[in-house]
Amino acid sequence: MNQRVENFQLMAKPSGSVCNIDCSYCFYLEKEHLYPERKSHWKMDDETLENYIRQNIQSQRSDVVDIVWQGGEPTMLGIDFYRKAIALQNQYKGNKQINNYLQTNGININDEWAAFLKEHNFLVGLSIDGDRISNDAHRHTRAGKSTFDDVMKGLDALKKHKVEFNTLTVVNAENVKRPMDVYNFLKRIGSRYMQFIPLVERRANQPDENGLTLIQPDFSGQSEVTEWSAPAKEYGRFLNTIFDHWIQNDIGSVFVMNFEQTLTKLTGQASGCVINETCGRNLVIESNGDVYSCDHFVYPEHKLGNINEQEMLDLVNLPQNIEFGQQKLTNLSSDCRNCIVKPVCNGGCPKHRFLISSDGKPNKNYFCDGYFIHLSHAFPVMHRILKLLHEKASYSKMKKLIKKEFYQAR
């Protein structure tokens, strides 16, 4: 019998899909078709907010509870909403430590916001795709204009108030061609923790019954990969270019989630959900309290229930959610099973598994070739790094040895 799940993450979307910009690649904006009432009732109400905070804290076995706010654009709720959230956290936390994370496009961030975020120790994730060229390729205002200057103003406010921040970069068809431009720009603006999230979406020729055109992996109708998606092999080369620079110059001072999670996985520990063997422990709650198994699977068939009607622990442990998490392992492609990088890749995110594998099943990850290009390139260096870490070598010594052993000989 499976052990009951008691450690999980429940990411909140308090504004649902409502956002103040119009990114051409955003898979979440069209979720408004699932909730037509959003046009007038899009904000998370007080009852849902309290149930989210209370149940999230009380359901976690850990003494540290992460509260994650995403969107849409979560700052559209206003600061008073988050003041209520902090008050509720203080009411229910007991002896637990609460960490707040806010993922934002930065446009609404001003001195008042930044002072509040600093006061309550929020870690801010800033969504930015690189310099002006890369960021404005897809991240536009509703009027189709540049968002870059407004994002930079928001970042200046965060830095002025010494708010801790990291950056989330969507790797798409434009910036995948400019890896060092993107990386160096993020370093220049002060990012010391970066995430590079690969983008692929398929668009159906006809909307489904819910009005959605961006489809999930098991869709069998006519579709095409969107023009903004990053080519798989180019994504692998993008990571390798940054990795080679990072490992020789910045390891220990700049943290790149993609590389750090791989290093963690190579030690045999659990890591990020994308590269773990199973999933189902990173759920999402919509503004009305509906809970889904994953941020990338907000479709009617993956709805688990509503937090205002059911307890969170019961929803997490529904057979439907357990099966969702196990399918990542059981639906691994035949190509993956025989692949040398499988112990770390584990077939990648199920959302991206729609290519035809060698046994004829549509369950091969779109980014498979890219993962292989990157991981087969990085593994020898990473194994050496882990050995040096075990020997407690300094980062300066690591960089010198890695450069000499792996790069100067090339």
Side-chain angles (χ1 to χ4, degrees):
M1 184 176 179
N2 290 328
Q3 186 175 1
R4 189 169 170 83
V5 173
E6 292 182 319
N7 284 328
F8 58 90
Q9 186 177 87
L10 179 60
M11 179 175 68
K13 291 185 175 283
S15 68
S17 60
V18 175
C19 189
N20 56 349
I21 66 175
D22 191 15
C23 300
S24 55
Y25 59 51
C26 183
F27 72 93
Y28 223 84
L29 284 177
E30 72 167 12
K31 301 299 182 184
E32 65 184 4
H33 293 295
L34 298 177
Y35 296 96
E37 71 277 9
R38 284 259 172 86
K39 292 180 180 178
S40 56
H41 299 93
W42 55 273
K43 297 182 179 181
M44 180 177 282
D45 62 28
D46 289 348
E47 178 189 9
T48 306
L49 175 62
E50 181 165 5
N51 282 331
Y52 168 58
I53 298 295
R54 175 183 60 80
Q55 292 194 41
N56 204 3
I57 293 172
Q58 294 177 353
S59 297
Q60 304 284 356
R61 179 185 294 176
S62 172
D63 291 332
V64 179
V65 179
D66 295 335
I67 307 291
V68 184
W69 308 98
Q70 204 173 65
E73 172 50 42
T75 60
M76 291 182 68
L77 276 292
I79 294 177
D80 285 345
F81 174 86
Y82 294 96
R83 290 195 176 104
K84 290 179 187 176
I86 295 295
L88 289 166
Q89 291 171 18
N90 291 332
Q91 178 182 341
Y92 289 111
K93 70 179 182 180
N95 295 322
K96 294 184 177 182
Q97 175 186 325
I98 309 298
N99 297 326
N100 282 281
Y101 299 86
L102 183 81
Q103 187 67 40
T104 176
N105 57 41
I107 289 177
N108 286 337
I109 302 297
N110 53 23
D111 281 338
E112 184 183 12
W113 262 107
F116 168 81
L117 295 168
K118 178 63 177 178
E119 178 186 358
H120 296 287
N121 298 311
F122 275 66
L123 172 60
V124 173
L126 184 69
S127 298
I128 184 166
D129 288 352
D131 57 20
R132 183 184 297 274
I133 295 171
S134 288
N135 192 72
D136 286 350
H138 296 287
R139 301 184 66 82
H140 312 136
T141 67
R142 291 286 185 180
K145 297 181 179 179
S146 169
T147 61
F148 184 78
D149 290 336
D150 288 335
V151 176
M152 289 298 100
K153 288 178 184 176
L155 176 59
D156 287 343
L158 293 175
K159 292 160 77 170
K160 174 183 175 182
H161 291 269
K162 297 180 170 56
V163 178
E164 188 176 354
F165 74 94
N166 58 40
T167 52
L168 186 154
T169 298
V170 176
V171 183
N172 55 69
E174 191 284 325
N175 62 4
V176 75
K177 302 172 185 175
R178 311 174 64 235
M180 289 311 301
D181 288 339
V182 172
Y183 180 78
N184 286 329
F185 170 79
L186 296 176
K187 278 181 61 178
R188 284 198 304 274
I189 66 173
S191 177
R192 292 299 176 264
Y193 188 94
M194 307 174 187
Q195 303 177 56
F196 296 108
I197 309 299
L199 173 68
V200 62
E201 296 287 352
R202 287 189 302 162
R203 183 169 45 210
N205 290 2
Q206 296 292 330
D208 68 11
E209 61 185 9
N210 298 299
L212 304 180
T213 59
L214 298 180
I215 55 179
Q216 55 181 312
D218 59 2
F219 179 81
S220 58
Q222 291 185 325
S223 65
E224 58 184 11
V225 172
T226 59
E227 63 274 14
W228 54 75
S229 299
K233 292 181 179 180
E234 285 192 41
Y235 176 62
R237 290 189 282 268
F238 173 95
L239 290 179
N240 283 349
T241 300
I242 293 175
F243 176 80
D244 288 345
H245 177 87
W246 172 80
I247 206 76
Q248 297 178 76
N249 300 280
D250 296 327
I251 185 172
S253 59
V254 175
F255 298 87
V256 180
M257 181 200 73
N258 309 67
F259 310 147
E260 305 286 346
Q261 287 186 348
T262 301
L263 284 164
T264 299
K265 196 66 179 169
L266 284 172
T267 67
Q269 302 177 64
S271 189
C273 68
V274 171
I275 60 174
N276 280 339
E277 291 84 350
T278 60
C279 54
R281 297 194 179 200
N282 292 78
L283 299 92
V284 61
I285 177 172
E286 281 284 336
S287 62
N288 70 341
D290 285 348
V291 175
Y292 294 82
S293 292
C294 174
D295 179 29
H296 293 289
F297 285 83
V298 177
Y299 298 96
E301 54 268 44
H302 294 289
K303 177 181 169 181
L304 300 174
N306 189 288
I307 203 169
N308 296 316
E309 300 167 0
Q310 296 143 288
E311 288 296 312
M312 190 61 226
L313 265 181
D314 293 335
L315 295 176
V316 173
N317 284 280
L318 282 174
Q320 175 185 346
N321 189 53
I322 302 299
E323 173 63 19
F324 173 85
Q326 289 297 317
Q327 278 184 354
K328 183 179 182 186
L329 176 63
T330 58
N331 194 35
L332 199 64
S333 78
S334 57
D335 299 326
C336 287
R337 296 180 191 279
N338 301 314
C339 180
I340 61 171
V341 303
K342 181 262 175 188
V344 170
C345 168
N346 286 300
C349 180
K351 181 189 177 183
H352 300 155
R353 295 181 182 179
F354 55 81
L355 295 185
I356 304 299
S357 64
S358 57
D359 64 0
K361 295 180 180 178
N363 60 354
K364 182 177 178 178
N365 196 301
Y366 171 87
F367 288 108
C368 178
D369 289 346
Y371 288 141
F372 185 84
I373 286 171
H374 169 55
L375 293 174
S376 59
H377 171 82
F379 273 2
V381 183
M382 286 187 168
H383 283 297
R384 181 68 171 122
I385 286 292
L386 290 174
K387 184 177 180 181
L388 290 169
L389 285 170
H390 182 73
E391 295 170 357
K392 296 183 170 27
S394 67
Y395 284 116
S396 60
K397 181 180 180 180
M398 283 185 205
K399 286 183 276 193
K400 289 177 183 177
L401 288 173
I402 291 298
K403 186 175 294 187
K404 179 180 178 180
E405 294 174 15
F406 291 91
Y407 293 96
Q408 288 181 352
R410 291 181 180 178

